[in-house]
Amino acid sequence: MGQIMDKYLLEKLKALQGIVRSLESAALLFSAGVDSSLLLSLVREALGDKCLAITIDSPFISRQEIEQAALLANQMAAHHLIVPLDLLKEPGLSANPAERCYLCKRKMFSVAKQIAAQRGLAWVVDGTNAQDLEQHRPGLRASEELGIRSPLREAGLRKDEVRALAQELGLSNWNKPADSCLATRFPQGEPLSREKLSLIDRGERFLKELGLSCFRLRYHSQNQGQSKTLRQMAAQNQLARVQPSAADRKRILGLGLWPKIASGLKELGFETAILDLEDYCP
């Protein structure tokens, strides 16, 4: 811990530590993002072996996120369980309805609660912070229905405060850009499949390898609304919309990366690639 910390932030940290200690034992949904990483660090310190990190491995999650979750949990010496879960088999989810996030979160929380009960752990906790309440997050309803605790939110910690504490604690991912599941790259109502989700995952990994760090790769079907089977749609007429932050767009244009990006995305399986001029602001 650094020697200098804002008094207000220190008070929030003490409040968070008190909440964590009161749990006595907990299973923590661990995504490898900065929120759940900070929480895991503190829960592991306070509860020791009575803390279990659970990472849900579904088609909606990038392979890099799963790899990073395993690495970070190991660095924290935390008990870590990676749970395979094919959310595409859940009723209604593959149709990508308006309530997709709610359905997805409810299933994930239910699985985590089952594991916690089997291992005699008192609570299931997640990394929701206080600022998340200001955004449209349908998954919060599932959290409330199933009694999931959110210590960061309970302590009143906002995203910038979470990052500040993560940096103070020396977490390597303290400045990691906010991320979300791969399903968010698709327009509502666009059917989801393992092939499409994998295509987005590989496309975003390719863009990261080119040095981009804050962006989204959006999927659009150019035949949306026409009668085509999912297999046909997976094989053709797939449009990739690269939506970068202002900094990443400057990198793309300044280094002349767009021809390489467009060519690489087409090699992966997209028919067309376009650069969005609207900034991605996480």
Side-chain angles (χ1 to χ4, degrees), residues 122-197:
W123 295 98
V124 173
V125 301
D126 76 350
T128 300
N129 65 62
Q131 193 170 340
D132 291 333
L133 297 176
E134 302 169 7
Q135 304 172 25
H136 178 62
R137 292 181 179 262
L140 293 176
R141 178 160 63 95
S143 172
E144 293 169 358
E145 290 175 353
L146 294 175
I148 307 302
R149 296 281 298 273
S150 302
L152 301 177
R153 180 176 63 178
E154 293 175 28
L157 282 159
R158 297 175 64 81
K159 190 71 174 188
D160 59 336
E161 295 170 328
V162 169
R163 290 194 186 281
L165 287 176
Q167 185 178 22
E168 285 282 348
L169 292 172
L171 299 186
S172 60
N173 64 340
W174 69 269
N175 63 344
K176 179 183 177 183
D179 205 352
S180 55
C181 84
L182 296 173
T184 62
R185 279 58 161 177
F186 297 80
Q188 180 182 315
E190 173 72 34
L192 303 175
S193 69
R194 187 177 294 273
E195 292 75 18
K196 288 181 181 180
L197 291 161

Side-chain angles (χ1 to χ4, degrees), residues 13 43 64 71 77 86 90 121 136 148 152 160 167 173 177 182 220 230 234 236 241 245 248 250 256 268:
L13 173 60
V43 173
Q64 282 186 314
L71 177 63
D86 191 352
E90 290 301 305
L121 301 173
H136 178 62
I148 307 302
L152 301 177
D160 59 336
Q167 185 178 22
N173 64 340
L182 296 173
H220 298 276
L230 219 99
Q236 60 182 346
R241 174 166 61 93
S245 64
D248 273 352
K250 182 177 180 180
L268 287 174

Side-chain angles (χ1 to χ4, degrees), residues 221-241:
S221 169
Q222 296 183 70
N223 287 320
Q224 194 168 7
Q226 296 183 22
S227 178
K228 285 221 171 196
T229 67
L230 219 99
R231 179 172 295 182
Q232 287 173 316
M233 290 175 66
Q236 60 182 346
N237 298 312
Q238 299 180 111
L239 182 149
R241 174 166 61 93

Side-chain angles (χ1 to χ4, degrees), residues 53-216:
I54 297 175
T55 298
I56 301 296
D57 182 359
S58 84
F60 292 1
I61 306 301
S62 76
R63 297 305 88 197
Q64 282 186 314
E65 291 295 296
I66 300 299
E67 295 164 7
Q68 189 169 24
L71 177 63
L72 288 171
N74 182 62
Q75 290 175 352
M76 297 182 200
H79 294 305
H80 185 218
L81 186 64
I82 297 178
V83 181
L85 181 62
D86 191 352
L87 289 168
L88 290 172
K89 293 183 178 179
E90 290 301 305
L93 267 178
S94 64
N96 195 15
E99 67 271 24
R100 184 205 70 241
C101 185
Y102 166 76
L103 295 172
C104 178
K105 288 290 188 182
R106 186 171 177 86
K107 180 61 178 181
M108 291 170 60
F109 289 146
S110 297
V111 168
K113 287 196 71 171
Q114 291 173 0
I115 294 171
Q118 292 167 357
R119 302 198 176 204
L121 301 173
W123 295 98
V124 173
V125 301
D126 76 350
T128 300
N129 65 62
Q131 193 170 340
D132 291 333
L133 297 176
E134 302 169 7
Q135 304 172 25
H136 178 62
R137 292 181 179 262
L140 293 176
R141 178 160 63 95
S143 172
E144 293 169 358
E145 290 175 353
L146 294 175
I148 307 302
R149 296 281 298 273
S150 302
L152 301 177
R153 180 176 63 178
E154 293 175 28
L157 282 159
R158 297 175 64 81
K159 190 71 174 188
D160 59 336
E161 295 170 328
V162 169
R163 290 194 186 281
L165 287 176
Q167 185 178 22
E168 285 282 348
L169 292 172
L171 299 186
S172 60
N173 64 340
W174 69 269
N175 63 344
K176 179 183 177 183
D179 205 352
S180 55
C181 84
L182 296 173
T184 62
R185 279 58 161 177
F186 297 80
Q188 180 182 315
E190 173 72 34
L192 303 175
S193 69
R194 187 177 294 273
E195 292 75 18
K196 288 181 181 180
L197 291 161
S198 176
L199 180 60
I200 287 292
D201 187 13
R202 290 181 286 118
E204 291 199 344
R205 181 180 288 236
F206 164 67
L207 294 174
K208 289 175 183 177
E209 289 172 351
L210 291 179
L212 305 191
S213 60
C214 189
F215 65 91
R216 286 291 182 267

